[in-house]
Amino acid sequence: MGTRGDIIRAVVAGRQAGREGALLAACPYPATSLLRTAWINGYAQVRTLPPVPPAPDSEGDGEA
C-alpha cells in the first residue's frame, strides 16, 4: 500500500495520462496495487466517453 503522497501522485499521473489520450493499459502499477486503483481513478476523471446512440424503439414507427 502506498502512502498518501504516493496515492495523490498516482491520481495526478492518471489524470495526465487521460488528458494525453494514453491507453488505460499504460498504467505503470501492478494489478494488485492500490496505486493502480488510484491511477485508474484519475484517468477516469478526465476521460471523455463517446456519445451513446439512442436505442431503436421496438415498434419501428417512432411512437410509444
Side-chain angles (χ1 to χ4, degrees), residues 12-39:
V12 170
R15 286 180 187 155
Q16 185 64 33
R19 284 187 198 102
E20 293 173 356
L23 296 176
L24 187 57
C27 179
Y29 302 104
T32 57
S33 173
L34 285 177
L35 295 177
R36 181 178 184 88
T37 303
W39 188 94

